[in-house]
Amino acid sequence: MRLGGPIFGQFDNADDWARAHRKLGYSAAYVPGLQPDQIAAYASAAAANDLVLAEVGAWSNPLSDDPKARQEAIDKCISALAMADEVGARLCVNIAGSRGQKWDGPDPKNLTRETFDMIVEIVRHIIDSAKPKRTCYTLETMPWIWPDSADAYLQLIHAIDRKQFAVHLDPVNIVNCPARIFDTKTMLRECFEKLGPYIRGCHGKDITIANNLTLHLDECLPGTGYLDYAEFLRQLDRLHPDTPLMLEHLSTPEEFDQAAAHVRKVAKQEGIQIR
């Protein structure tokens, strides 16, 4: 497996950018926003530093009820997927989108069959338009948007029916009830058992539960919540050795250092090599 995360600061060129990752012990990187004339340089710098280009983000709302915003989001996804393919990233990732006012928020229509069918049509269009050869388009798992479980992801895979559609697994995002937060080992095993052949990358964070009613779940620093990182890393270790685990949603370099240290500590305890 590979480990990566955001890097802080400004970099004059692709080589400095790549070396900054290796200095932090990262072997995978988020692909920054690139101009067409930068793509070759960043791909070359990553290869020279044994750095896997993990993902290109296409964060937008292809399900927006505003036709203009929806089309702009779909166009962004097509462009991002094409760029991911050109630079050699493992995946391009977005969420499916939301039918509500907030692009990634809950809405009563998000988990309906109508929305499922919309997602299938939109993802097919994105993939068929970009025509990727080397990379895949993925939807990040979410707590209140398809795909919200391993079974829902499998349903989308079969319905979309494109070999360039794959899985981006964020296990914390589907810990959306007490049954899951108190037994993340079972959830993780189910996800990897059902989705393993399709997983191209994962996000790494953690989750905790508050004592106040009715139910409050919050992200937290890896190692300070309920996610079974030993099981997470054991399952990741069974996949392709270049599968990236990307840390996210922390505020400072120090927090990312602490998160990376926790992952490396658990990996060492489990006898798992992080390349």
Side-chain angles (χ1 to χ4, degrees), residues 43 103 110 140-141 146 158 172 182 204 221 228 250 254 273:
W103 77 282
N110 279 355
E140 183 175 359
T141 45
W146 303 116
H158 296 317
V172 162
F182 293 131
L221 192 76
D228 189 331
L250 301 172
E254 292 75 21
Q273 180 183 6

Side-chain angles (χ1 to χ4, degrees), residues 7-8 12 19 39 50 55 63 69 96 102 115 120 124 159 168 172 192 209 212-213 245 253:
I7 55 172
F8 292 77
D12 294 331
R19 285 193 288 267
I39 290 174
D50 189 26
E55 63 184 68
L63 293 175
K102 190 171 186 287
T115 299
V120 170
R124 284 177 174 173
H168 181 286
V172 162
F192 281 90
I209 187 169
N212 52 309
L213 291 172
L245 174 62

Side-chain angles (χ1 to χ4, degrees), residues 27-59:
S27 55
Y30 290 107
V31 180
L34 300 176
Q35 299 300 316
D37 61 354
Q38 296 177 301
I39 290 174
Y42 275 77
S44 177
N49 288 273
D50 189 26
L51 192 66
V52 164
L53 295 173
E55 63 184 68
V56 171
W59 309 114

Side-chain angles (χ1 to χ4, degrees), residues 86-242:
E86 186 174 356
V87 79
R90 283 185 59 84
L91 59 93
C92 174
V93 59
N94 192 14
I95 61 170
S98 175
R99 304 289 300 279
Q101 293 298 310
K102 190 171 186 287
W103 77 282
D104 60 349
D107 187 84
K109 294 182 287 188
N110 279 355
L111 294 175
T112 62
R113 183 68 202 192
E114 176 189 45
T115 299
F116 184 96
D117 292 341
M118 289 172 64
I119 294 167
V120 170
E121 180 180 351
I122 289 168
V123 171
R124 284 177 174 173
H125 174 67
I126 290 167
I127 292 172
D128 293 347
S129 298
K131 298 180 174 62
K133 301 288 193 301
R134 298 191 293 172
T135 192
C136 292
Y137 187 72
T138 65
L139 297 176
E140 183 175 359
T141 45
M142 289 289 285
W144 46 56
I145 300 170
W146 303 116
D148 64 338
S149 66
D151 286 337
Y153 221 135
L154 277 180
Q155 291 170 25
L156 281 171
I157 289 168
H158 296 317
I160 290 167
D161 192 27
R162 296 293 188 272
K163 68 178 182 179
Q164 297 89 357
F165 181 61
V167 171
H168 181 286
L169 180 63
D170 188 325
V172 162
N173 280 4
I174 57 174
V175 176
N176 54 7
C177 65
R180 284 184 177 172
I181 197 171
F182 293 131
D183 188 11
T184 60
K185 179 179 288 188
T186 296
M187 181 206 66
L188 286 162
R189 287 178 175 175
E190 179 187 16
C191 286
F192 281 90
E193 177 184 346
K194 294 179 177 180
L195 302 176
Y198 307 103
I199 293 174
R200 299 277 291 186
C202 297
H203 278 167
K205 50 196 184 193
D206 212 332
I207 189 164
T208 188
I209 187 169
N211 287 322
N212 52 309
L213 291 172
T214 58
L215 176 64
H216 298 271
L217 302 171
D218 290 295
E219 290 184 16
C220 59
L221 192 76
T224 64
Y226 284 87
L227 192 71
D228 189 331
Y229 259 86
E231 186 64 32
F232 192 14
L233 299 187
R234 284 194 295 266
Q235 295 293 336
L236 268 170
D237 193 47
R238 297 168 58 190
L239 304 183
H240 189 284
D242 282 341

